[in-house]
Amino acid sequence: MKVVDHLKNNDKTLFSFEILPPLKGKDINLIYEVIDPLMEFEPKYLNITYHREEVVYKRHKSGLLERKTVHKRPGTVAIAAAVKYKYQKVNVVPHIICGGFSREETENALIDLHFLGIRNLLVLRGDPLQADKVFIPEENGHANAIDLINQIQCLNKGYYLDEELQNTTKMDFSLGVAGYPEKHIESPNIDTDLFYLKKKIEAGADYIVTQLFFDNKKYFDFVDRCRKVGINVPIVPGIKPISIKNHLNILPSTFNIDIPEELAKEVRKCKTNDDARQVGVEWAIMQSKELIERKAPAVHYYTMGKADNIYNIAKAVF
Ligand code: FAD
């Protein structure tokens, strides 16, 4: 079933979450350990993030630096298959990104996912490589999420890159995209960001999942602004509980978000990361309760590969 149909056809707010592929060399059971306890809250779908290659520099004895690219986490196709067939009631939503992929590589990944019976994708551009500062598309790749949406929509009509192909199978993907209540970091202002967000919806995206935020007012304002410019698809709030003291400094610069002083004050008082994790859980419970009360279509949790805090939040609100 399509995620968008779940979002539109449910009276109550749904519980959803995303998992990270384990680091290279680790076992698929790490993923099951995150999913298993969260099944109690009957997720209709779950997302699998994609992590592009990273650039690392290795210093040789001669003093020369060697530039290498490494994939620290494997791709999502095999994980999506494993999860789909283990948790058959749950729709799997792999993230698919522009960064690091040519159009051909993207098409091949989409063919694999479609063969596996996967029909939902979250379509993203991906961040710039750390070494690059600005996003550089792959040769013959895509510069923005909308270009990737357009490629998928062509496949949904049966148009593959090889124009000679005949009687092709039409793909049947439903697409979600990212939205930013506090604007995307590269965007000059929120109106420009919304202009491009609307383009993604017009290109065929069915729903939006937001960047994390700690102040629900930012989400409600964002939904209002979207509606005013004619973006009428479901908008799913994304929640990430603070889980270490250092998040106070890391999260704002990484995600271009504010942390309200009331929350920052509580985290500053914490002596240990365990204390901060508890503060994060309590804040996320408060956020979730209000989002559910005000009928958000789902609340989507960023697990960062650990289930315990998300379990405690979900137990209190779902
Ligand atoms: P775009 O929609 O392409 O937007 C990027 C910027 O370009 C914005 O400033 C936008 O305003 C502007 N823009 C958009 N279209 C155009 C256009 N046609 N012309 C000019 N400017 C344009 N990253 C990962 O690598 N893996 C993941 O699994 C992942 N999951 C995510 C899940 C969610 C819910 C969210 C919110 C983000 C996720 N990200 C992930 C991060 C995401 O890849 C980054 O935020 C990235 O910098 C932007 O992605 P986007 O899809 O929003 O890009």
Side-chain angles (χ1 to χ4, degrees):
M1 193 165 163
K2 303 283 168 62
V3 168
V4 66
D5 295 328
H6 285 301
L7 296 174
K8 285 184 173 168
N9 300 332
N10 261 285
D11 295 338
K12 59 175 203 163
T13 301
L14 301 176
F15 166 74
S16 70
F17 61 97
E18 66 181 39
I19 51 169
L20 273 68
L23 287 166
K24 194 184 278 179
K26 302 287 178 198
D27 192 85
I28 185 81
N29 284 309
L30 284 178
I31 286 200
Y32 302 150
E33 281 166 20
V34 177
I35 300 175
D36 282 343
L38 299 177
M39 291 303 286
E40 181 179 327
F41 310 108
E42 300 181 348
K44 297 276 186 274
Y45 65 94
L46 66 84
N47 288 40
I48 305 169
T49 58
Y50 184 86
H51 300 261
R52 68 174 299 187
E53 77 280 12
E54 292 175 30
V55 176
V56 293
Y57 290 91
K58 192 176 167 202
R59 186 178 293 280
H60 288 279
K61 278 186 188 146
S62 64
L64 286 177
L65 282 179
E66 184 190 358
R67 186 182 195 269
K68 292 172 80 169
T69 52
V70 286
H71 271 101
K72 292 196 174 163
R73 295 175 192 269
T76 47
V77 175
I79 295 173
V83 172
K84 177 178 161 59
Y85 288 98
K86 185 168 162 68
Y87 304 93
Q88 298 198 357
K89 286 190 185 154
V90 185
N91 291 110
V92 175
V93 188
H95 293 190
I96 180 146
I97 69 168
C98 307
F101 288 90
S102 66
R103 284 172 168 75
E104 284 76 16
E105 289 163 338
T106 296
E107 185 173 280
N108 290 338
L110 292 168
I111 289 171
D112 283 345
L113 290 168
H114 204 259
F115 282 161
L116 286 165
I118 284 158
R119 297 293 180 266
N120 294 284
L121 302 167
L122 193 72
V123 182
L124 304 142
R125 187 196 69 182
D127 285 322
L129 287 175
Q130 256 181 351
D132 288 340
K133 298 253 189 307
V134 294
F135 182 81
I136 301 173
E138 217 50 25
E139 200 178 328
N140 194 27
H142 297 301
N144 283 105
I146 190 171
D147 307 311
L148 181 48
I149 295 172
N150 288 334
Q151 180 177 7
I152 299 168
Q153 294 296 48
C154 281
L155 288 162
N156 278 349
K157 293 187 187 120
Y159 301 128
Y160 290 61
L161 292 173
D162 179 354
E163 290 163 4
E164 307 286 303
L165 290 179
Q166 290 185 348
N167 301 322
T168 50
T169 300
K170 288 182 184 170
M171 293 196 182
D172 181 25
F173 285 117
S174 166
L175 312 177
V177 288
Y180 302 84
E182 298 177 61
K183 103 173 174 60
H184 183 256
I185 194 160
E186 295 161 32
S187 197
N189 55 58
I190 185 100
D191 291 326
T192 305
D193 214 20
L194 285 182
F195 171 83
Y196 287 121
L197 179 58
K198 191 173 177 200
K199 294 259 175 242
K200 292 196 281 191
I201 306 304
E202 287 166 350
D206 296 314
Y207 67 100
I208 295 165
V209 186
T210 77
Q211 184 58 282
L212 58 101
F213 56 88
F214 291 98
D215 177 355
N216 282 355
K217 188 173 180 311
K218 302 268 169 70
Y219 167 77
F220 296 127
D221 288 351
F222 176 69
V223 174
D224 285 347
R225 278 171 177 267
C226 285
R227 302 304 181 228
K228 277 194 189 119
V229 299
I231 298 173
N232 294 313
V233 296
I235 302 177
V236 175
I239 296 290
K240 176 181 163 57
I242 284 198
S243 53
I244 52 171
K245 285 183 72 174
N246 230 355
H247 273 161
L248 218 47
N249 310 107
I250 300 169
L251 298 181
S253 56
T254 310
F255 298 107
N256 194 45
I257 50 121
D258 269 358
I259 297 186
E261 178 52 16
E262 201 187 333
L263 172 58
K265 207 162 66 188
E266 290 308 310
V267 178
R268 278 201 301 271
K269 279 191 223 157
C270 293
K271 293 212 162 50
T272 64
N273 280 334
D274 282 349
D275 297 343
R277 203 168 176 83
Q278 187 51 32
V279 168
V281 166
E282 281 159 23
W283 190 269
I285 289 174
M286 190 191 69
Q287 280 192 279
S288 306
K289 280 186 174 163
E290 190 185 21
L291 291 164
I292 293 169
E293 211 175 276
R294 294 186 55 178
K295 305 219 174 314
V299 184
H300 184 76
Y301 295 93
Y302 297 100
T303 64
M304 305 311 288
K306 296 254 168 64
D308 63 301
N309 52 354
I310 307 301
Y311 181 89
N312 290 335
I313 297 159
K315 190 79 183 162
V317 295
F318 282 96

